Amino acid sequence: MAKKLSKNVVVAKKLVSTSDVLPLNEAIELAKKASYAKFNESVDIALNLNLDTRKAEQQLRGAIVLPNGSGKSVKVLVATDDVASQKASKAAGADYVYSGAELNEVLNQDKYDFDVIVADPKMMLVLGKFGKKLGPKGLMPNPKTGTVTTTPAKAVEELKKGKANYRADKNGIIHTSIGKKSMDTKKLAENADALIQTIKKLKPTTVKGTYIKNITVSTTMGPSVKVKIEL
């Protein structure tokens, strides 16, 4: 027996036409209006790219600092043995700063009270032991996202301002958050455009034909709205 849709879901779906392709601002505004959840949902963007991620040069991954922030607070753990970096990271707003010796005990716990790990490259020997635990949680630091760095304080500052990680999946789709539903639509659009322009600049030279096939925006629980692609 098919599951009956709630009244809110039905109303949300009626607001969005699958044939509509809207300018970025209008698409985000409609996605917000079609949101029916009672909590402050994330606003997400999905870019369907003409990529063959089996080829190394077409594996896009990285992070950008969103011009208007992410709308959410992020708890950052810094792992470094360098005393100067420890002090600078604390001053930059790191929630936790641990040495390599302390890190083992912290990562052995069942639950973590942080969202991101920023690590000095030397700490990867310790973190590597916990790869199977950190990987599935999305907590393993990576140089491409700026979380493995010799300047952790700078990374902390960027994360606190609001950062969006992007990574093309096996189907060539990048899916990431550009902010919260409570944020001004114009600011969300500026965040989305910053990501879109970054992805455009990263177009691999080996890609032939249309690069960005389609773009959609949505809230966490809401329907997707198609975005008009500006060339």
Side-chain angles (χ1 to χ4, degrees):
M1 183 177 176
K3 185 178 180 181
K4 186 178 179 181
L5 296 176
S6 72
K7 183 180 178 181
N8 287 336
V9 175
V10 172
V11 171
K13 287 184 177 293
K14 283 183 178 179
L15 284 173
V16 179
S17 170
T18 55
S19 61
D20 285 344
V21 182
L22 304 175
L24 185 57
N25 270 64
E26 293 178 29
I28 291 173
E29 186 63 27
L30 181 55
K32 289 169 68 175
K33 285 181 180 176
S35 166
Y36 55 86
K38 294 180 179 179
F39 62 93
N40 188 18
E41 298 172 272
S42 292
V43 178
D44 303 324
I45 188 168
L47 293 86
N48 189 353
L49 307 175
N50 177 23
L51 295 176
D52 182 354
T53 53
R54 293 172 297 179
K55 298 177 180 178
E57 72 276 10
Q58 295 190 25
Q59 295 174 3
L60 299 189
R61 183 176 186 180
I64 66 164
V65 177
L66 297 170
N68 298 303
S70 63
K72 61 181 179 180
S73 59
V74 180
K75 286 190 176 183
V76 183
L77 181 153
V78 171
T80 178
D81 280 333
D82 184 80
V83 176
S85 289
Q86 290 174 350
K87 290 180 179 178
S89 296
K90 288 177 182 177
D95 298 275
Y96 307 100
V97 179
Y98 295 115
S99 66
E102 296 168 320
L103 200 57
N104 272 299
E105 184 178 346
V106 173
L107 297 181
N108 266 320
Q109 296 175 14
D110 294 327
K111 292 184 179 181
Y112 299 145
D113 187 32
F114 51 86
D115 305 300
V116 184
I117 299 175
V118 174
D120 182 283
K122 295 177 182 178
M123 293 294 101
M124 294 310 291
L125 285 172
V126 178
L127 288 161
K129 300 173 186 176
F130 297 90
K132 290 183 179 179
K133 193 174 182 181
L134 297 174
K137 296 178 184 293
L139 290 172
M140 181 60 77
N142 190 293
K144 291 183 177 179
T145 59
T147 48
V148 176
T149 174
T150 55
T151 54
K154 181 182 176 182
V156 172
E157 288 177 2
E158 291 179 345
L159 286 162
K160 290 295 183 177
K161 286 178 182 176
K163 219 173 181 186
N165 293 328
Y166 58 84
R167 183 178 188 175
D169 65 18
K170 64 180 181 180
N171 296 312
I173 298 173
I174 286 175
H175 187 277
T176 192
S177 172
I178 53 169
K180 289 288 188 177
K181 184 176 68 176
S182 58
M183 292 173 63
D184 180 73
T185 297
K186 183 181 178 182
K187 290 184 176 181
L188 287 167
E190 288 172 353
N191 282 353
D193 188 58
L195 175 68
I196 293 168
Q197 297 310 317
T198 297
I199 299 305
K200 283 182 177 179
K201 290 176 184 176
L202 293 173
K203 178 184 178 181
T205 56
T206 51
V207 170
K208 304 301 179 185
T210 301
Y211 175 44
I212 301 178
K213 296 193 283 188
N214 63 64
I215 301 173
T216 61
V217 291
S218 65
T219 57
T220 305
M221 305 286 288
S224 296
V225 182
K226 293 178 183 177
V227 176
K228 182 179 179 181
I229 300 172
E230 303 291 343
L231 300 176

